[in-house]
Amino acid sequence: GALCAYVLIGLLFAFVYLAVNDFRNDPFFAQPGEHSQGEYLYFSFVTMTTTGYGDLTAAHGLGRALAVLEALIGQLYLVTVIALLVSNLSRRGRATQTEV
């Protein structure tokens, strides 16, 4: 479930980027040309994981602000939720071993 939520966050931001592109007069990406929905999805996950290849970049302030927000949410999610789940799994394993 936690992994699904992480993927859904990436999908949500991809759709937000698409919406920003559709509602603004200027293009979302600084790189010229038409960009497919897959490129928005790619940009979202590269941003969320803070990989940052740099082949696609947001062209204006709103896109950049959203990218920073996504990167922060992605990292905070990993640091808090996933770390909490992993620590709970290790506690359960120790509790089961002591009961035996």
Side-chain angles (χ1 to χ4, degrees):
L3 182 59
C4 288
Y6 190 70
V7 170
L8 286 173
I9 292 169
L11 289 170
L12 171 72
F13 273 95
F15 290 124
V16 169
Y17 298 144
L18 278 163
V20 168
N21 183 63
D22 288 343
F23 291 123
R24 289 184 60 106
N25 293 332
D26 51 339
F28 182 83
F29 292 120
Q31 291 71 24
E34 290 292 318
H35 297 282
S36 67
Q37 290 180 352
E39 288 177 295
Y40 288 89
L41 188 62
Y42 163 78
F43 176 75
S44 176
F45 281 100
V46 166
T47 301
M48 186 169 62
T49 60
T50 65
T51 306
Y53 293 125
D55 53 348
L56 292 173
T57 55
H60 47 78
L62 177 60
R64 292 179 188 141
L66 288 170
V68 168
L69 180 64
E70 182 180 18
L72 288 172
I73 288 172
Q75 291 307 300
L76 289 173
Y77 185 86
L78 288 176
V79 168
T80 56
V81 175
I82 302 300
L84 182 65
L85 289 172
V86 169
S87 69
N88 282 339
L89 286 175
S90 66
R91 278 190 223 146
R92 283 187 192 159
R94 278 187 255 138
T96 306
Q97 289 173 356
T98 57
E99 291 172 5
V100 175

